[in-house]
Structures are given as C-alpha cells and as structure tokens.
Amino acid sequence: QVQLQQWGAGLLKPSETLSLTCAVYHGSFNDYYWTWIRQSPGQALEWLGEINHHGRTNLNPSLRGRVMISVDTPKNQVSLQLTSVTDADTAIYYCARAKAFGYGVDVWGQGTTVIVSS
Amino acid sequence: DIQMTQSPSSLSASVGDRVTITCRASQSIDNNVNWYLQNPGKAPKLLIYGTSNLQSGVPSRFSGSGSGTHFSLTISSLQPEDFATYYCQQTYSSTPYTFGQGTKLEIE
C-alpha cells in the first residue's frame, strides 16, 4: 500500500520560505505525477502544482513565481518551496499522488499545517 | 482559470435520502471532472474520476454524470458516514487545475 509521508517547518514569519518534503513509500514513483494542494482554514482546496520523476512541472500561475516543486527520484521524494510567505499562505499543505490522464488525486499525505505569523 | 461553481454550498438531508450535488464549469471541460469527500480534519478522498468512474473501494451508492459544463454527484441512499464536505475538481486545464468551493452535507 503506497504511503506518503511529509514533513517540514510548521511556523514561519512573513517573508520567509516555506519548505516541505514528501517521501513516497511502497509504490511506483515513476508512473505518476506528484502534486501539492493546500487548504486555508475553513476554505476550499487549492492546487499548487505537480511534478513527475523527470522533473517536468505544472505550476499554479496565481502564485506568481513564488512556488517551486522539485524531485529527488533516487530517494522517491518531492519537495515544495514557497517564497515570501504572508499570512495568506497559512494552510494545511498536502502532498498527493495524481492518477494519469487527470483522473484525480487518489493517495494523500497526512497534511502539514503551516502557520505564518509575525 | 476555469472556475468551478458548486451548488448548493450546504445541504441538509437524512439517512436514506437521495441527494445530488452539482458543479458548473466556466467553460467546456469535456469529461475531466473528479469528485472528493472530505471529513473534518482529514485529507480528501477520491470518489469519482473522469466524470463517472467509481474509484476503487468506493461504494456503488455514489455516482457521477455530466459533460461539457454541467456535472453532478449523486448519492443514492445516504449513510451516516456520508455526511461530509464534497468538492469537484476540473483536470481539463492544468494552468491550474481548480476545485469547487465545496458542499457541506449535514444531517437534517
């Protein structure tokens, strides 16, 4: 059973860089896109971007160049960086596995709560 | 961005009821719609992909339909564990993939 384990700093100050990593265990890494999605308190889901094992990315343009997603294929890990955070970036961040052909996100990490506060 | 508008935003129903949640896209998205269920404090769970395909392990009381700009998720007979928040998602255009604002299904 594939499992996603994510970690990273949970408390940031404005203007700092959010950095999260997600490791994939017990499943194929190369056959999927790996996705980051966030959910602000009481709000809907927001798709941040995705990456495959070759490092090909699709990113959300609304984040205006602040977001970067990278991959370490030998380690079966993906990482998210979001620069110049503000309190609007306070959210639960999920790492997740995207099925082929846009057929949804079928495996999710446990989520990481990130709070931005001065 | 393609906007996904869900309705209703909240819904009260009883165990055994049949309910339908709809999602309207701001432009045609073929059949590239997925539906999720989210319980409080938990990650979302994929229910339906590609408009009408049931994700493995999901009960058959869940079904999806639609095409173009109008899509729906139907639960044929509500069970206690179905009271949650539901989201649609379009994966027609990846710049960016977008979600609806959610429908909270509550016990009447």
Side-chain angles (χ1 to χ4, degrees):
Chain A
Q1 180 100 3
V2 61
Q3 293 180 356
L4 277 58
Q5 183 72 34
Q6 54 182 106
W7 65 90
L11 181 60
L12 297 172
K13 290 183 168 51
S15 80
E16 291 185 336
T17 295
L18 179 156
S19 183
L20 300 175
T21 300
C22 172
V24 179
Y25 299 105
H26 312 303
S28 172
F29 186 77
N30 293 353
D31 293 336
Y32 298 93
Y33 268 81
W34 302 95
T35 299
W36 289 94
I37 292 167
R38 71 181 179 181
Q39 187 169 35
S40 300
Q43 300 299 310
L45 302 161
E46 182 181 15
W47 182 87
L48 303 180
E50 63 183 3
I51 192 167
N52 70 4
H53 69 287
H54 291 303
R56 183 177 186 271
T57 58
N58 295 309
L59 302 176
N60 191 328
S62 72
L63 294 168
R64 290 186 286 276
R66 296 195 298 130
V67 64
M68 184 175 73
I69 298 175
S70 58
V71 65
D72 186 337
T73 301
K75 291 184 177 180
N76 284 7
Q77 292 180 0
V78 296
S79 295
L80 170 73
Q81 284 194 317
L82 184 64
T83 62
S84 304
V85 297
T86 70
D87 55 1
D89 295 310
T90 292
I92 300 173
Y93 287 76
Y94 293 101
C95 167
R97 185 180 81 174
K99 296 172 57 165
F101 310 114
Y103 284 163
V105 173
D106 66 340
V107 180
W108 297 71
Q110 80 275 22
T112 300
T113 298
V114 176
I115 298 172
V116 180
S117 174
S118 55
Chain B
D1 297 6
I2 296 175
Q3 306 302 316
M4 301 295 285
T5 304
Q6 273 183 250
S7 61
S9 57
S10 64
L11 175 61
S12 295
S14 301
V15 172
D17 284 355
R18 178 185 179 91
V19 299
T20 296
I21 298 167
T22 64
C23 202
R24 187 179 76 250
S26 59
Q27 67 181 70
S28 177
I29 55 173
D30 290 341
N31 69 339
N32 296 103
V33 166
N34 311 305
W35 291 93
Y36 301 84
L37 170 160
Q38 186 179 32
N39 289 119
K42 301 291 188 182
K45 172 186 174 182
L46 180 64
L47 299 174
I48 301 286
Y49 63 92
T51 296
S52 59
N53 299 288
L54 198 65
Q55 173 67 5
S56 175
V58 174
S60 60
R61 63 181 180 273
F62 291 93
S63 64
S65 64
S67 66
T69 61
H70 284 78
F71 301 87
S72 61
L73 171 72
T74 297
I75 310 171
S76 60
S77 179
L78 278 172
Q79 300 301 301
E81 60 269 28
D82 300 338
F83 292 94
T85 300
Y86 292 81
Y87 293 95
C88 61
Q89 179 203 26
Q90 67 80 18
T91 49
Y92 176 81
S93 167
S94 65
T95 52
Y97 294 149
T98 47
F99 292 88
Q101 78 278 19
T103 296
K104 187 172 184 180
L105 179 53
E106 299 175 302
I107 298 176
E108 191 165 46

